[in-house]
Amino acid sequence: MKPKNYSPMEKPISVVTGKFRSSSNNNHNNVWFVIPLFFLLCFVLLCFDYSALSGTNTDTDESAFSISDATQKSIPREITKEPNFTRLLEDTLPDSCSGRYIYLHDLPSRFNRDLLENCSLITRGTEKNICPYLENYGFGPEIDNSENVLLGQSWFTTNQFMLEVIFHNKMMKYSCLTDNSSLASAIFVPFYAGLDMSRYLWGFNISVRDSSSHELMDWLVKQKEWGRMSGRDHFLVAGRIAWDFRRQTDNESDWGSKLRFLPESRNMSMMSIESSSWNNDYAIPYPTCFHPASLDELSEWQERMRSRKREYLFAFAGAPRPEYKDSVRGKIIDECLESDGQCYLLDCNYGKVNCDNPVNVMKVFRNSVFCLQPPGDSYTRRSIFDSILAGCIPVFFHPGTAYAQYKWHLPKNHKSYSVYLPVKDVKEWDIKIKERLIEIPEEKVVRLREEVIRLIPKVVYANPSYGSEGNEDAFELALKGMLEKIEEVREMMRQGKDGSEGFDDRDDYKYTFSPYEAQVLA
């Protein structure tokens, strides 16, 4: 008797041949093909299951690979809850994180979290309380009343030294983090070097100032990740200038710590708000007060700066530096005061105007065509990026202020976005700023301003909710640059070369005037 559900119209497909077969007397013969095949499949499945059970653990074999480490890291958590997720993983998909995986060291809390919990100690020797600036991912308190100068809810009172906290918080949201360090192209060390050192800058001997640096390196070299490239795939981010971590002597009166001169630390790279003369120090933008939460918000701000009517030819926000004999700031302030109302001066001498308030700064820069950016206590200053935010064309007097610094974020052709008035020594001051700026044709001014406005997305540290795909902010560009540098070292090692060659060499030539003067004269 035929089975109840059998239909003479049906022609079952042969498991062996994959062809339609008839329901004739060959059915008996086909059974003998099916039975051996069934046992063969069982045997294969048994072998597969055994190999899975006896596989090497990734904790002991760094070459091991797992879908959870490599694939799920690049897939949003919500997708993993879908019923078709297993089938999705079985499909062959390109790995969008290939070459971008980063492993985040889980440092002992004394190197980061404890510093935040004891933030009142960080400001010892200064008059400011740093604690409020730690709010909102390190962006600081949100600005409620912007007098219609700012935009939306994405402006904060951000401290310029909060880079390491901001960077760490954004790294925690990075889409290509991995728990498997063997997959990582780079290793991030979340040590708050600037905040740590700020506790000991005044009134402490060098052994105290250097203690955390020694403890950090002692911990790092014991980790298995260090041995892969002797630390040359490791990097950290500091919220102070790199020179603060390169004290060259052991004189108690000398400034800063010796972190970057420790033998092991020389194998790492460091990103900071200002680089030093050494090749493994890299400059990335100062944190500004604008942290957009969406691309639309960013575009709206750009358009507002693009359409702004500017009343002043040039502006300067800052204070004189009489203690520095070669400072050009005094000359700049004098020329601004003598400009017949064509210069907007924001005097930041103590007690005069609150220059930490972004409303005050933006009022000046958004109304000016050019913004003067002389060196300050060091080569660089946050005002560079405040002026870019305002669509104000920066005017530089020294190559170390920007051109030799932010090479991942600012155009190589500095004439495309800025004006350069080289001044080697204030004694040789032979320029008239107003006359030089008036000579620039209007069509060139329009091109310069448009390029400055185009740079805004590249110099802001966006809110972690901001989508970065195709819209790289300062954080994404910094990671991209660091990954490329580490890959260059890795490629040298693949070729059998010494990965240390040139890695931490000193290059004082980067701060000389001659290569930039050649472009000015061209």
Side-chain angles (χ1 to χ4, degrees):
M1 175 179 286
K2 294 182 177 64
K4 183 176 181 180
N5 294 328
Y6 181 85
S7 169
M9 299 296 294
E10 294 177 347
K11 293 186 178 181
I13 300 176
S14 167
V15 176
V16 178
T17 65
K19 299 179 180 179
F20 288 105
R21 58 182 175 82
S22 66
S23 56
S24 63
N25 292 333
N26 290 332
N27 290 348
H28 259 306
N29 295 332
N30 288 332
V31 171
W32 295 105
F33 288 95
V34 173
I35 293 175
L37 181 61
F38 173 78
F39 283 107
L40 178 61
L41 289 173
C42 290
F43 177 77
V44 171
L45 289 173
L46 180 62
C47 291
F48 176 79
D49 187 55
Y50 175 77
S51 65
L53 290 172
S54 61
T56 307
N57 190 298
T58 56
D59 290 337
T60 57
D61 182 1
E62 291 190 357
S63 66
F65 181 86
S66 71
I67 284 181
S68 62
D69 285 322
T71 307
Q72 287 184 241
K73 284 291 178 182
S74 61
I75 300 175
R77 187 178 302 275
E78 292 77 11
I79 296 179
T80 64
K81 299 176 182 178
E82 294 295 326
N84 293 327
F85 179 63
T86 303
R87 181 184 57 78
L88 180 65
L89 291 181
E90 291 173 353
D91 295 336
T92 303
L93 295 174
D95 186 357
S96 63
C97 288
S98 179
R100 299 171 54 220
Y101 283 114
I102 291 180
Y103 179 78
L104 179 62
H105 265 310
D106 185 14
L107 297 182
S109 61
R110 66 181 181 276
F111 295 117
N112 42 48
R113 293 188 298 275
D114 289 356
L115 293 170
L116 304 185
E117 292 176 3
N118 298 286
C119 57
S120 60
L121 301 176
I122 294 174
T123 55
R124 186 176 294 166
T126 70
E127 297 182 2
K128 292 184 179 179
N129 177 15
I130 209 76
C131 298
Y133 295 107
L134 301 175
E135 300 174 14
N136 299 312
Y137 307 106
F139 295 158
E142 189 174 320
I143 298 173
D144 294 325
N145 181 17
S146 66
E147 304 176 29
N148 201 33
V149 174
L150 309 179
L151 173 69
Q153 304 299 312
S154 293
W155 286 82
F156 301 80
T157 307
T158 304
N159 185 281
Q160 65 176 348
F161 299 123
M162 285 295 109
L163 178 60
E164 53 209 19
V165 179
I166 293 171
F167 205 96
H168 187 195
N169 279 315
K170 285 181 68 67
M171 182 66 82
M172 296 292 287
K173 303 289 186 178
Y174 179 58
S175 61
C176 293
L177 281 183
T178 178
D179 295 330
N180 186 350
S181 61
S182 65
L183 297 176
S185 295
I187 312 292
F188 178 49
V189 181
F191 173 41
Y192 297 166
L195 297 184
D196 174 78
M197 190 177 64
S198 294
R199 298 181 299 172
Y200 307 123
L201 282 175
W202 297 272
F204 290 86
N205 61 39
I206 58 174
S207 62
V208 173
R209 280 182 266 158
D210 295 342
S211 59
S212 294
S213 300
H214 285 290
E215 291 173 8
L216 173 73
M217 298 317 303
D218 288 344
W219 186 90
L220 280 176
V221 297
K222 295 175 183 176
Q223 310 307 307
K224 65 177 182 178
E225 290 79 18
W226 184 267
R228 186 168 58 181
M229 291 178 63
S230 300
R232 292 187 184 90
D233 55 353
H234 285 52
F235 72 96
L236 70 156
V237 175
R240 301 183 67 92
I241 66 173
W243 300 99
D244 286 351
F245 308 98
R246 288 191 176 275
R247 192 189 71 245
Q248 299 189 48
T249 76
D250 287 334
N251 296 330
E252 295 288 347
S253 60
D254 283 358
W255 179 263
S257 81
K258 214 169 185 178
L259 168 64
R260 299 296 285 137
F261 283 132
L262 298 183
E264 301 87 359
S265 177
R266 294 177 65 169
N267 286 3
M268 290 197 299
S269 296
M270 183 174 78
M271 297 190 285
S272 59
I273 53 179
E274 178 180 320
S275 68
S276 69
S277 296
W278 280 264
N279 289 340
N280 56 341
D281 286 342
Y282 303 92
I284 61 177
Y286 282 74
T288 65
C289 294
F290 183 38
H291 307 284
S294 70
L295 182 59
D296 288 342
E297 191 174 56
L298 184 57
S299 300
E300 184 181 349
W301 175 259
Q302 286 177 289
E303 189 55 39
R304 181 184 287 197
M305 294 303 101
R306 186 175 285 115
S307 60
R308 183 77 192 173
K309 301 297 182 183
R310 298 172 188 265
E311 304 172 30
Y312 298 90
L313 177 64
F314 61 109
F316 174 63
R321 290 289 188 271
E323 65 272 26
Y324 299 122
K325 63 179 181 178
D326 293 330
S327 175
V328 299
R329 287 189 171 209
K331 290 286 188 181
I332 286 173
I333 291 173
D334 290 343
E335 288 216 16
C336 189
L337 293 172
E338 297 168 1
S339 67
D340 298 324
Q342 290 186 284
C343 178
Y344 195 154
L345 176 63
L346 184 64
D347 191 342
C348 296
N349 258 337
Y350 178 76
K352 291 193 175 181
V353 178
N354 180 10
C355 291
D356 290 334
N357 185 339
V359 175
N360 295 335
V361 175
M362 285 296 123
K363 279 182 180 179
V364 177
F365 289 171
R366 71 175 185 166
N367 284 321
S368 306
V369 178
F370 298 97
C371 288
L372 309 184
Q373 303 296 345
D377 296 325
S378 66
Y379 289 113
T380 65
R381 57 199 307 248
R382 182 167 81 171
S383 180
I384 300 167
F385 303 101
D386 289 334
S387 70
I388 290 175
L389 273 187
C392 187
I393 302 163
V395 179
F396 298 115
F397 301 84
H398 193 289
T401 305
Y403 305 150
Q405 299 285 346
Y406 309 102
K407 297 187 176 181
W408 297 336
H409 297 79
L410 301 179
K412 183 177 181 180
N413 177 12
H414 64 78
K415 292 189 295 183
S416 69
Y417 74 97
S418 68
V419 173
Y420 181 44
L421 303 177
V423 180
K424 295 181 181 179
D425 194 315
V426 69
K427 298 173 186 176
E428 300 176 3
W429 185 274
D430 61 352
I431 61 175
K432 291 294 182 181
I433 298 173
K434 185 175 75 172
E435 282 73 7
R436 291 286 191 94
L437 298 179
I438 287 176
E439 291 173 356
I440 300 174
E442 179 60 27
E443 58 270 21
K444 182 176 181 181
V445 171
V446 172
R447 289 199 306 270
L448 287 169
R449 183 185 302 121
E450 183 57 34
E451 180 65 14
V452 169
I453 292 172
R454 190 186 68 83
L455 290 174
I456 293 175
K458 298 183 178 183
V459 301
V460 297
Y461 294 91
N463 189 293
S465 64
Y466 175 85
S468 63
E469 290 300 323
N471 306 295
E472 294 169 315
D473 69 345
F475 169 82
E476 294 280 349
L477 287 173
L479 284 188
K480 182 179 179 180
M482 181 55 61
L483 287 165
E484 289 175 354
K485 286 294 181 181
I486 292 173
E487 184 57 29
E488 289 174 8
V489 177
R490 187 176 285 111
E491 181 58 29
M492 288 178 61
M493 296 175 68
R494 289 192 195 104
Q495 296 175 8
K497 299 177 182 178
D498 186 356
S500 66
E501 184 177 347
F503 184 82
D504 62 337
D505 287 356
R506 183 168 184 169
D507 178 18
D508 289 325
Y509 189 69
K510 67 189 285 189
Y511 290 108
T512 60
F513 284 78
S514 52
Y516 305 99
E517 287 178 329
Q519 286 191 43
V520 171
L521 297 173

